Structures are given as C-alpha cells and as structure tokens.
Amino acid sequence: MENTVGAAPEIMLRMSGIHKRFGELEVLKGIDFSVVKGDVLAVIGPSGSGKSTMLRCINRLEEIDAGTIEIKGRVLAKNNSEGTAEYVSEAESREILACTGMVFQQFNLFPHMTVMQNLLEAPVQVKKRSAEEVRPEAEELLRKVGLFDKRDSYPGRLSGGQQQRVAIARALAMKPDIMLFDEPTSALDPELTGEVLKTMRELAAEHMTMVVVTHEMAFAREAANHVMFMADGVIVEQGIPAEFFAHPAQERTIAFLNNML
C-alpha cells in the first residue's frame, strides 16, 4: 500500500444500494461494497447471480436503476428525489470513467490491426497522444505480458491465451487506476488459462486495484485479498480469502464451495 502510516486507505470504488432490473427481472437487489487502493476483490458465485451485471454497472456499460456509484471519490450516479439513479453528464461521466480499464470474456481485439496497433489505438484516439510517445510504453507492456515478439502479428494468428494477454496490455495502455475483469479465462482452454492468471497475479503483486469476476477459485484464494460471494442478485458473504474459504458461514456459500473445490 502507498499510504503513510495512520492515513486512511483511499477508497477507489464505492457501490451503495445498487439495484438493477431488466424488465421484470431484478438482477441486483441492493449491492453494497467498497474497494480500497491496491485491493484485489474476487467476485464469485453461480451463473445468473448478477456478478457480470454488477461489474458492467461500475463503468456504465449497464446503467443502474437505484443506488450510488463513486469512483475515486467522484459521484458517477446517485439517487434523485424520486429514489431513482441519476448520472452525471456524459462529459463528466467519461472523465470519471477514464481511470477504469476492462478486460472481457471475449478478447474484443481489432482483428484488422496488429498487436501493436491494438495497443496504440485508444491512447492515440481517446487521449490524443502521439503514437511515437505511446509506442515505448506499449512495447514495455507487451514485454510485461510476455508477447513483445508478437507485436507485429494479427490477433487471428495468436492463441486465445495470447489474445487475452494482449487485451490486458491494451487495457493497461490507458494507464487505469482500477482494472475490471469479467471472467477473463472462461473462454479459454484450461492449458491457456494459466498464462492469463499468471499475468493477473503479477498485476496483483504490483498492487493494481482490481475487481475480478471469476470462477477460478485458486486465483481468488491466492491472488485476491478480498472475496465476495454473490447469489440471486445479493452479496451472500464476503471476507478475506483465508477465512472465507476455510470457514464459510452461510449455507449457500458452503454449498457453492463444495461444488467448486
């Protein structure tokens, strides 16, 4: 942690009273949690529990119906007098969300661009930086994920694990303060999962603030410092991994872990 002794840790993300519905289906039923700087929060739970929806609400890929979202102390959305969530302006929203990066299940790389071009695209187009300025940083990120030798390859020539590591490097190229991962290994064969998790473990070791929706219990146990179990749109239980996995308190958590471990 960067904090000086006695200083309160900086809260990077706070979700309060989050409700989200799709038509008649209420997917999130009052979600409350916060993430401090350098935390790695692993979000686990059965399919359909609202994990991915919750994650997508953080960066406004989905909009909440009620509740408050604060990112680095700035309010992205909060309830109005009618009790429904109201967002800040589009411009302010973009500014607040500029500190977040996201990695999806599907790699979403631009197939017609090389690996290097994929990394340069957003810093150049969104942040209006020159390609010459960004290129050394992009090269360093590709070294970090072990893919510098693939910088001139097209995504179609890479394995799924390599594509996902490029996707992580691409998200990091925007210099985010918070990284969001939505089941980043679920589309991968088991032998490719390890290389992606290794990259994520290295980020965790560097104290990158991360929220990771995952079904990889080993990652949650070893790399996270907080685990949150969701089911049916609510947080059933949360805690530090050692305690959470050794002594789950709720029946629903125990049943899930028995099934997964």
Side-chain angles (χ1 to χ4, degrees), residues 6 11 17-18 43-44 50 56 58 78 85-86 90 98 116 121 159 177 189 208 214 226 254:
I11 294 179
I18 304 297
V43 185
I44 64 173
R56 291 169 67 86
I58 294 172
K78 66 176 180 182
E86 210 165 272
E90 286 292 334
M116 178 56 74
E121 180 71 5
S159 71
D177 296 313
D189 296 332
M208 166 63 80
T214 185
H226 200 82
I254 294 166

Side-chain angles (χ1 to χ4, degrees), residues 61-75:
L61 290 176
E62 300 288 355
E63 295 199 343
I64 61 173
D65 297 312
T68 304
I69 302 174
E70 292 172 70
I71 296 175
K72 292 187 72 180
R74 296 181 66 182
V75 174

Side-chain angles (χ1 to χ4, degrees), residues 10 30 35 41 108-109 156 177 197 248:
E10 182 187 353
V35 179
L41 169 64
N108 295 351
L109 298 174
D177 296 313
L197 291 177

Side-chain angles (χ1 to χ4, degrees), residues 88-152:
V88 296
S89 70
E90 286 292 334
E92 192 179 353
S93 182
R94 275 195 301 275
E95 200 179 289
I96 292 170
L97 291 173
C99 70
T100 66
M102 187 156 181
V103 177
F104 300 86
Q105 294 178 21
Q106 303 300 336
F107 326 120
N108 295 351
L109 298 174
F110 297 115
H112 61 289
M113 294 183 179
T114 66
V115 165
M116 178 56 74
Q117 288 168 335
N118 265 280
L119 264 69
L120 296 178
E121 180 71 5
V124 170
Q125 297 298 330
V126 179
K127 292 203 165 176
K128 307 301 181 196
R129 298 175 66 200
S130 72
E132 291 66 36
E133 181 191 3
V134 179
R135 192 178 301 276
E137 297 170 10
E139 289 176 348
E140 192 52 44
L141 287 170
L142 288 174
R143 285 192 183 91
K144 184 190 192 81
V145 300
L147 291 171
F148 180 69
D149 61 328
K150 301 291 187 186
R151 61 194 179 282
D152 297 321

Side-chain angles (χ1 to χ4, degrees), residues 49-67:
S49 58
K51 308 183 302 295
S52 290
T53 299
M54 180 277 294
L55 194 75
R56 291 169 67 86
C57 286
I58 294 172
N59 62 0
R60 209 178 170 179
L61 290 176
E62 300 288 355
E63 295 199 343
I64 61 173
D65 297 312

